[in-house]
Amino acid sequence: MPQYITDIDVSVNEAEQHQLRKHGFTQVHVNLNPEGKGNTIYLWYKTSDCPAITRIQFSFTDKMKEGLVAEGYHKVDKNLNTGNSGSPIYLWFYKGSSQYDVPIVELDLSTDAEADATKVQPLWERLPCDLNRRAGGNWIYLWVKRDTQTYICDINATLNSSSDANLFRQGYIRMDEDTNRDAGGAYVFLWYRQTTDSQKAIKDLQVSTDQESRESYENQNYEKVEINLNEGTLGTPVYLYYKKNECSKDPIKMITLILDPTAVLPYINAGVEVVEKNLNEGNSGFREYLCFN
């Protein structure tokens, strides 16, 4: 029988490390507090032939929790920034059986831009929440490996939490970083859904930051995600466009966000498409780029 990841936990001290090891958990050997600013924190997982974990999410605000609670996601009740001044980050997981759910078989963590880019491989995807968010130090990202290759088949966006539960119920994965980060506007999140059928995949993504580019993409029959990714800020309206019937493009396997400016060149060198249009165009928020493989 195939071995899937069926449980995830977090240790925030040595006693918890001992208990998790005793109960058959495997440690991911990356300290989530590498700068010594808080507790020594590790991620752990267990594999078996039981029903698999298929989705992992993070929360760093109370509003982000609401849809996860409503749809029965399991919360690992350990703050990944325990002992430091960073955002209170919690991991949640779900065992789904819909057509959009594919088992997760391995976890890994990246702690610098070069290592981050080298993880872009078949079956792997990078979750865009920095696990060191607002704590200073390294940018730390969780990577998950799927049992079968997946492709991005649908994309959406939200500017409040009112529709979160509905999107989770429909099989969407929330990209847990605000496209308006530090810009003073609404919390805006991108969402995507996956398929194992490459024929249903999105082939291209583009970002518009002006009227001319919006008209250009619409004239090329791109579909528009209707939410302004700069909603509520003084910045330029920013929209995401996508296309499925693009014969010259390969199906998109992974989509994520880059906030670390040193990661752009390593990602490009690794063959990743980085859309070099700032999602916070015209405001003082974080410079953010969408990228896909």
Side-chain angles (χ1 to χ4, degrees):
M1 294 290 290
Q3 294 289 297
Y4 303 132
I5 291 182
T6 54
D7 200 3
I8 298 173
D9 213 327
V10 172
S11 66
V12 298
N13 55 50
E14 288 188 9
E16 291 179 355
Q17 292 178 37
H18 176 74
Q19 285 298 313
L20 289 169
R21 196 173 287 113
K22 181 179 176 181
H23 287 93
F25 280 80
T26 299
Q27 181 183 15
V28 182
H29 292 281
V30 175
N31 178 12
L32 297 181
N33 264 331
E35 304 298 313
K37 297 179 180 178
N39 294 43
T40 300
I41 299 177
Y42 289 103
L43 189 64
W44 301 73
Y45 64 90
K46 185 182 283 189
T47 58
S48 73
D49 56 4
C50 296
I53 292 172
T54 58
R55 293 183 237 165
I56 296 174
Q57 300 285 166
F58 294 98
S59 66
F60 47 82
T61 71
D62 287 340
K63 287 292 185 182
M64 292 176 75
K65 301 175 184 178
E66 294 175 356
L68 296 165
V69 171
E71 289 308 303
Y73 280 68
H74 175 81
K75 179 185 180 183
V76 180
D77 203 9
K78 305 281 180 65
N79 178 8
L80 301 184
N81 274 326
T82 296
N84 68 42
S85 60
S87 301
I89 298 176
Y90 293 91
L91 184 150
W92 305 67
F93 63 80
Y94 182 77
K95 299 181 179 184
S97 57
S98 75
Q99 61 179 310
Y100 306 109
D101 288 288
V102 176
I104 295 171
V105 297
E106 194 174 337
L107 302 178
D108 203 359
L109 292 158
S110 61
T111 59
D112 62 71
E114 293 292 340
D116 205 33
T118 61
K119 289 296 297 178
V120 181
Q121 301 290 337
L123 303 178
W124 285 93
E125 61 201 64
R126 172 187 179 272
L127 306 187
C129 180
D130 173 21
L131 304 187
N132 226 0
R133 197 176 194 273
R134 299 200 187 285
N138 296 37
W139 299 83
I140 301 178
Y141 293 99
L142 179 63
W143 289 78
V144 303
K145 185 179 182 181
R146 303 256 176 209
D147 177 57
T148 306
Q149 183 63 62
T150 58
Y151 307 91
I152 307 299
C153 60
D154 296 292
I155 194 156
N156 212 322
T158 56
L159 51 79
N160 57 57
S161 61
S162 62
S163 57
D164 284 9
N166 187 45
L167 288 172
F168 285 132
R169 192 178 311 125
Q170 292 178 47
Y172 277 88
I173 295 169
R174 182 178 62 201
M175 296 176 66
D176 292 319
E177 183 50 84
D178 176 17
T179 66
N180 260 351
R181 181 169 171 178
D182 291 354
Y187 275 93
V188 181
F189 293 100
L190 292 169
W191 300 66
Y192 61 86
R193 206 156 51 174
Q194 297 172 308
T195 179
T196 55
D197 184 353
S198 63
Q199 300 302 310
K200 297 178 180 179
I202 292 172
K203 299 286 188 69
D204 195 26
L205 293 166
Q206 296 292 340
V207 172
S208 72
T209 56
D210 55 53
Q211 183 63 33
E212 182 180 358
S213 61
R214 285 195 289 276
E215 291 176 358
S216 173
Y217 297 139
E218 287 165 10
N219 288 338
Q220 295 175 68
N221 297 317
Y222 279 80
E223 299 286 334
K224 178 183 177 184
V225 178
E226 291 296 337
I227 298 293
N228 174 13
L229 303 185
N230 236 340
E231 184 68 34
T233 76
L234 299 177
T236 305
V238 174
Y239 291 96
L240 178 62
Y241 286 82
Y242 66 93
K243 201 173 192 181
K244 289 190 173 183
N245 59 339
E246 183 61 67
C247 298
S248 63
K249 301 275 190 177
D250 292 326
I252 294 175
K253 300 173 184 176
M254 181 193 77
I255 178 174
T256 192
L257 295 171
I258 292 179
L259 282 78
D260 175 6
T262 69
V264 174
L265 186 57
Y267 263 72
I268 292 172
N269 290 340
V272 178
E273 295 271 356
V274 179
V275 184
E276 293 189 72
K277 293 185 178 179
N278 182 15
L279 301 185
N280 273 321
E281 184 69 28
N283 66 50
S284 59
F286 257 83
R287 183 170 289 273
E288 297 185 40
Y289 296 118
L290 184 78
C291 63
F292 59 92
N293 183 46

